[in-house]
Amino acid sequence: MTMNNMIKMSDIDLRNQRVLIREDFNVPIKDGMITSDQRLEAGLPTLVAALEAGAAVMVLSHLGRPEEGFYDKRFSMKPVADYLAAQLDYPVRFVTDYLDGLDCQPGELVVCENVRFNRGETACDEALSKKLAALCDVFVMDAFGTAHRAQASTCGVAQYAPTAVAGPLLLRELDALQHVLRAPEKPIVAIVGGGKVSSKLSLLKKMVTMVDVLIPGGGIANTFLKAQAQEVGVSLCEHDLLDEARSILALAAEVGCEIPLPSDVVVSKSFSDMCPAFNKSLAHVAEDDMILDIGPETVARYVDVLASAKTIIWNGPVGVFEFPQFSYGTRALAIAIAKSSAFSIAGGGDTLAAIDQYNLMDQISYISTGGGAFLEYLEGKTLPAVAVLDARSNKCDPVVAD
C-alpha cells in the first residue's frame, strides 16, 4: 500500500464543495447513551477541518450490526448526531433520508442515518454506491476501522465520487502502522490476546516472523498450553487447533522468536463477576478449573519483558479484565506498556476498552481505532478501501489547494 500516492484531504480546496466523509463512529450505546466516545474524538478533527475550510459536510458511518435494509432504533446514529452537535460550534443536522439527495450548506454538518440500514451496503452494491457518490463533489475516506471492508460506503462510493481522498485520521493510522512494520526498533514485543487462535492465526504466524517476543493471552494462551500437554481444565481452548499451535511454536523456535507461556494462572469454577478467584501454579490446574487470568509470577515475567522492549504491539487482553478479580494481568501489562519508553501501538475493541478502563489513553504512543483493519494490516493484507484510494489517485482531477 503506497500511502504517499494517495490524494489527501489537505491537498484539496474544499471551499463550497459538497464533502462526504466516511468515519468509523461505531460507538457503544447503552440506553440511548454513548458509553465510550474514543472513536468520535478521533474523527472530530477531520470534520472540523472540512467545516473550517468552508465545505458543506456530510458524514456517514455504520453503527452495530442491524439487519441490512431495515430501520432499527437501537442502531440509530441519532445519539452520535446529538454528541457532535454538543461538541461543534457549527450547525449539525440529522437526516434519515438522504440517498436521493440532500441539501447541505457550507459550514453545516449533516449526519446521515446508519449506512447499514441501506440494502446493498455490505455487498458494495453498485446502484447504492453511485447514489452515495452523487451526494458529493469530494469523498473523504477517514474510517480506518472499516477500511478492510469492501462496502458501498467505503469502496463503492470511492470508485464513483468525482474526487476521492484520504482523510487525516486514516493517514495517521497508516503512518503509525507503517512505523511498526517498516522500521521498528528492536527488541519488538507483541501481545496477542483474545479467545481464539482461529481468529488470529494469520496474525500469530506473521508476528512470529517479525517480533522478538510474542506473548499470547486469553484463550489463545490456553490453546498453546494444551498443545504442550498442559492441563487447562474447562478453559476456553481450541482443541482442533493444537497442531496449528505446535507449528507456530516450532516456527518461533526456528526463527528465534520467544513465546513465553504462563507458569501460574488465576482460575475459577464458573464464569461470573461474582465467582471466587484462585491463584494456582500451572501444575495444579484441576480438570474442572477455568483459567480466566494470568498469575502474579507470570505477570512479573511479562512486565520484565515489556520493560526491555523498544517497540510494543498490543492486541487483545490476557484475561477477563471486565471482571475485577480477573483483571490484574491485563491491568498490570497495560500499566507496563504505558510506563515504557518504547513506541507502543494498540488496537482492537477489547484493547481500547481496557486502556479506557485504566485511564491510560494518553500514555500509549498510538491507539488505533480499528479492530479487524488493524489486524489485517499487521498481517500484510491489502485493505480494499485504501487500495481504491490508491488507484483513484492516478485518475482524479482534484481541485488542489493553494
Side-chain angles (χ1 to χ4, degrees):
M1 258 169 243
T2 50
M3 188 174 69
N4 292 336
N5 287 352
M6 292 190 294
I7 301 171
K8 304 171 179 62
M9 189 179 89
S10 57
D11 294 333
I12 306 295
D13 184 355
L14 299 180
R15 181 164 298 280
N16 296 323
Q17 300 286 301
R18 296 175 303 149
V19 177
L20 182 65
I21 302 177
R22 177 55 157 102
E23 292 289 354
D24 181 10
F25 286 163
N26 180 30
V27 293
I29 295 177
K30 185 175 182 180
D31 300 327
M33 301 294 293
I34 295 168
T35 58
S36 174
D37 63 357
Q38 292 174 32
R39 286 177 173 163
L40 294 168
E41 284 191 350
L44 266 173
T46 301
L47 304 183
V48 170
L51 289 164
E52 286 181 346
V57 183
M58 299 155 282
V59 64
L60 297 174
S61 179
H62 72 289
L63 198 156
R65 295 182 178 179
E67 183 178 357
E68 189 173 283
F70 296 93
Y71 172 80
D72 187 332
K73 184 179 179 180
R74 294 174 301 164
F75 302 106
S76 175
M77 291 286 291
K78 182 65 165 59
V80 172
D82 292 341
Y83 173 95
L84 295 174
Q87 296 293 316
L88 295 170
D89 294 325
Y90 293 89
V92 176
R93 188 158 47 93
F94 175 65
V95 297
T96 55
D97 298 314
Y98 54 89
L99 292 181
D100 294 321
L102 56 85
D103 179 45
C104 182
Q105 299 302 312
E108 178 188 25
L109 175 66
V110 170
V111 180
C112 300
E113 184 56 285
N114 195 334
V115 292
R116 288 190 180 167
F117 290 169
N118 300 322
R119 192 177 300 277
E121 161 64 10
T122 55
C124 199
D125 177 74
E126 182 178 341
L128 175 60
S129 300
K130 288 181 175 178
K131 282 191 171 186
L132 293 174
L135 296 174
C136 66
D137 303 304
V138 178
F139 172 69
V140 179
M141 178 58 185
D142 202 40
F144 175 78
T146 59
H148 63 311
R149 304 293 189 198
Q151 300 179 342
S153 68
T154 60
C155 286
V157 60
Q159 286 179 292
Y160 300 111
T163 299
V165 302
L169 176 57
L170 176 69
L171 292 169
R172 285 200 304 276
E173 295 268 9
L174 294 175
D175 184 60
L177 284 162
Q178 288 188 5
H179 177 88
V180 166
L181 292 176
R182 290 186 176 178
E185 190 175 354
K186 288 178 169 284
I188 310 166
V189 178
I191 301 172
V192 179
K196 296 183 177 181
V197 170
S198 54
S199 64
K200 297 184 179 179
L201 189 58
S202 297
L203 178 66
L204 291 165
K205 290 178 177 178
K206 175 72 174 180
M207 288 293 102
V208 162
T209 64
M210 69 172 281
V211 307
D212 300 291
V213 183
L214 172 62
I215 298 174
I220 293 174
N222 297 338
T223 303
F224 278 104
L225 289 169
K226 188 66 176 179
Q228 294 194 320
Q230 295 284 351
E231 178 64 65
V232 297
V234 293
S235 309
L236 180 60
C237 174
E238 289 179 288
H239 296 272
D240 58 335
L241 285 178
L242 298 183
D243 285 341
E244 286 283 4
R246 291 186 193 104
S247 71
I248 293 170
L249 290 167
L251 176 61
E254 183 182 325
V255 300
C257 172
E258 181 187 355
I259 301 183
L261 294 174
S263 54
D264 63 333
V265 291
V266 182
V267 303
S268 184
K269 300 299 183 184
S270 62
F271 186 85
S272 164
D273 61 351
M274 300 297 291
C275 62
F278 304 95
N279 289 331
K280 284 191 175 184
S281 68
L282 200 60
H284 292 107
V285 173
E287 291 183 359
D288 62 344
D289 277 337
M290 188 179 293
I291 300 172
L292 298 176
D293 195 10
I294 54 176
E297 179 181 289
T298 301
V299 167
R301 281 195 292 123
Y302 290 176
V303 167
D304 283 345
V305 169
L306 291 168
S308 64
K310 296 297 183 184
T311 302
I312 299 171
I313 301 166
W314 180 21
N315 175 255
V318 294
V320 185
F321 73 95
E322 298 90 343
F323 298 165
Q325 68 272 43
F326 305 114
S327 65
Y328 176 72
T330 299
R331 180 176 180 273
L333 298 195
I335 291 171
I337 295 169
K339 287 183 176 179
S340 171
S341 59
F343 177 84
S344 54
I345 183 167
D350 287 341
T351 312
L352 266 66
I355 292 169
D356 198 30
Q357 181 169 309
Y358 306 132
N359 197 27
L360 299 172
M361 297 295 293
D362 297 331
Q363 297 174 64
I364 309 294
S365 304
Y366 193 83
I367 297 173
S368 174
T369 58
F374 177 82
L375 295 179
E376 291 195 14
Y377 198 90
L378 286 176
E379 290 166 20
K381 294 180 180 177
T382 297
L383 304 184
V386 176
V388 171
L389 294 179
D390 201 24
R392 284 295 311 268
S393 66
N394 298 317
K395 299 175 184 178
C396 290
D397 184 21
V399 181
V400 180
D402 293 334

